[in-house]
Every structure is written in C-alpha cells, then in structure tokens.
Amino acid sequence: MLLVGLTGGIGSGKSTVSARLAAHGAVVIDADAIVREVQAPGQPVFEAMVDRFGPAIVAADGTLDRQAVADVVFTDADALADLNALVHPAVSGEIVNRLAAEAETDHVVVLDVPLLVESGRSDLAGMIVVDVDPEIAVARLVAHRGFREDDARARMARQVSREERVSKADVVIDNSGTVADLDEQIDRVWAWIRQLPPST
C-alpha cells in the first residue's frame, strides 16, 4: 500500500481533487463520507447526538439536520468538544479498518481528511494540500453548498491556518483557477505519487 494524505481547508475543493485521484485509480478513504455514514439514522453515533443535543438536530425526514448541529457547536466550545467525543472515535475506528483492508495491497490509498495536519500522522508517504484563497472558499461554500457566510467563516476559524497547512505539504494544488488548470495539476500529482516509495 502506498498511503498518501490529502487535506485542505473547508471550501478548498478537496473532494473534487479526491474524486479525480480516484479516477486515476486511487482508493480514497474519505473521512467526511465516513462521518455521514456514522451519523445516519439508526447508527449509535446518531442516537448519542440526539441524546446530547436534543430532537432539534433531527430534520423533518428523520435525518441529521447538519446546519442545526453547526449552529450549536460552532458557538459553544463545550458542545463542540462533546460532538467530537461522540464522532471522532467512530470515524477513527472505521479509518483504521479500511486501512487494514488495504495494507497488503499495492494500491495507492488516499486518506482524505480535513484535519489531517492537526492529526500529526507520521505514516504517510506524502502529503497533498489543496489550497485556495479563503475568500474564494467562502464564496463557493455560500454559492454551491448552501452555507451561511458567518457559518463558513466560523468553521474556517477553527481549522489550522492556511500558512501552517501549506507548510506541511509535499505538494500543493492551487484550486483557484479553472477545471482545466486543476486537471493539469492532478496529472502532475499522480505522476509524483507513482514514484513515491511504498508506505512502511
């Protein structure tokens, strides 16, 4: 297995990059997707969240109202700590399981994690950071993902700085341009990945 980290600030386009790497043949372990899985109705994490934060975080269709959760936790440090204590162990456990399933393969595995820099992982063959001007990221979140501007900025404020994230990168992908610009960079990054030594 060749394990490569992929991260970027909220709104950077990290998911777009991971999808393009998957198209090249990478196996993507997407932490955000795992979060959605463990927070699905009927899952223990979902039930624990409702117990902690109340029925107001459940949407009319019975699923998690993510905006309602955000409105609570991004203005209350204790609530955020409680949320992380409920969600992170389940997500971490699932990531461990998926990595174990790939350990004896010759696959390129991309670990797509928003807080990868903060996690301090030391088992990566390389680190890719998707970078974009924060103002562009805010505009994209509002226009394409339905975020309120204040919510987007609050989430950004809780992540490591753009400068710190970029300083940890082996490769930086600038996602402020066109789709063609991005695809050209992805091709170069894939060539770089293919020459990395396998993860130990």
Side-chain angles (χ1 to χ4, degrees), residues 28-164:
V28 176
I29 299 177
D30 182 343
D32 283 340
I34 294 171
V35 168
R36 290 190 290 273
E37 290 172 20
V38 303
Q39 291 179 339
Q43 294 297 314
V45 170
F46 177 89
E47 304 299 338
M49 288 177 63
V50 175
D51 286 345
R52 167 60 180 85
F53 299 109
I57 66 166
V58 181
D61 64 358
T63 62
L64 193 67
D65 183 337
R66 298 183 186 284
Q67 186 61 59
V69 176
D71 288 345
V72 172
V73 302
F74 287 108
T75 57
D76 183 335
D78 290 337
L80 181 61
D82 289 347
L83 175 66
N84 289 340
L86 294 173
V87 176
H88 285 184
V91 174
S92 297
E94 185 58 30
I95 288 173
V96 167
N97 291 341
R98 295 187 189 190
L99 287 173
E102 296 291 336
E104 302 303 321
T105 73
D106 61 357
H107 297 158
V108 172
V109 178
V110 173
L111 186 58
D112 177 353
V113 179
L115 303 180
L116 195 56
V117 169
E118 293 91 325
S119 75
R121 288 191 79 105
S122 59
D123 59 345
L124 304 173
M127 171 84 83
I128 303 164
V129 170
V130 185
D131 184 54
V132 71
D133 183 284
E135 294 306 315
I136 294 175
V138 168
R140 287 176 177 171
L141 289 167
V142 171
H144 304 303
R145 290 175 57 185
F147 278 68
R148 297 194 315 266
E149 183 176 341
D150 62 330
D151 184 26
R153 293 187 187 280
R155 295 189 194 211
M156 283 182 176
R158 292 187 178 273
Q159 298 183 331
V160 297
S161 70
R162 181 186 186 189
E163 292 74 20
E164 182 176 354

Side-chain angles (χ1 to χ4, degrees), residues 160-183:
V160 297
S161 70
R162 181 186 186 189
E163 292 74 20
E164 182 176 354
R165 191 182 297 111
V166 168
S167 76
K168 303 293 186 183
D170 294 301
V171 175
V172 176
I173 294 176
D174 176 6
N175 193 21
S176 59
T178 65
V179 171
D181 293 335
L182 181 61
D183 285 338

